[in-house]
């Protein structure tokens, strides 16, 4: 994603990518590879759930939870921490904007 997108305008694949990015970012923070940002961490829980559900609920398959975990592990192995953090921030902002609009 190149910039903040409207949560409702995101595709299922964009929601999945956001769930993976946010999950990977939280792992990087927990491992001490990125600095802790308390406000963003508290918002990440809500944001990852919203993005994951926006992807998984329409699928109605039980594999989506494992899919996020597998993709997160792949992402952590192959992408830069700062790139993951930047995408996670955009995804969290999109989910929060959706939450505040309700």
């Amino acid at each position: 994603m190149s910039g903040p997108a409207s949560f409702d305008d995101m595709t299922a694949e964009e929601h999945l990518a956001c769930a993976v990015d946010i999950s990977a970012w939280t792992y990087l923070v927990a491992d001490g590879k990125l600095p802790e940002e308390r406000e963003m961490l508290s918002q990440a829980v809500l944001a990852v759930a919203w993005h994951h559900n926006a992807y998984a609920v329409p699928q109605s398959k039980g594999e989506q939870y494992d899919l996020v975990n597998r993709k997160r592990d792949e992402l952590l192995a192959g992408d830069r921490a700062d790139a993951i953090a930047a995408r996670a921030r955009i995804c969290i902002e999109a989910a929060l904007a959706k939450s505040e609009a309700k």
Side-chain angles (χ1 to χ4, degrees), residues 9 16-17 20 38 43 49 57-59 63 69 71 78-80 82-83 85 93 98:
D9 292 336
L16 174 60
V20 171
R38 288 190 188 268
Q43 297 166 340
V57 170
Q59 304 291 326
E63 300 174 2
N69 292 337
K71 286 187 168 284
D79 205 349
R80 294 184 345 259
D82 60 336
E93 289 172 0
K98 168 74 174 178

Side-chain angles (χ1 to χ4, degrees), residues 80-101:
R80 294 184 345 259
D82 60 336
I84 293 169
R87 290 190 309 268
R89 181 178 306 284
I90 290 168
C91 294
I92 291 168
E93 289 172 0
L96 292 173
K98 168 74 174 178
S99 176
E100 292 170 0

Side-chain angles (χ1 to χ4, degrees), residues 64-86:
Q64 281 68 36
Y65 289 101
D66 290 336
L67 180 62
V68 169
N69 292 337
R70 284 193 313 272
K71 286 187 168 284
R72 179 196 58 235
D73 292 344
E74 291 169 8
L75 186 66
L76 288 170
D79 205 349
R80 294 184 345 259
D82 60 336
I84 293 169

Side-chain angles (χ1 to χ4, degrees), residues 14-82:
E14 288 173 320
H15 284 298
L16 174 60
C18 278
V20 171
D21 282 332
I22 295 167
S23 180
W25 173 75
T26 61
Y27 271 64
L28 290 165
V29 171
D31 287 345
K33 295 177 180 172
L34 287 172
E36 182 178 315
E37 298 177 52
R38 288 190 188 268
E39 184 176 341
M40 193 166 149
L41 278 171
S42 68
Q43 297 166 340
V45 174
L46 170 67
V48 77
W50 276 61
H51 284 293
H52 181 268
N53 288 341
Y55 170 77
V57 170
Q59 304 291 326
S60 69
K61 297 177 186 171
E63 300 174 2
Q64 281 68 36
Y65 289 101
D66 290 336
L67 180 62
V68 169
N69 292 337
R70 284 193 313 272
K71 286 187 168 284
R72 179 196 58 235
D73 292 344
E74 291 169 8
L75 186 66
L76 288 170
D79 205 349
R80 294 184 345 259
D82 60 336

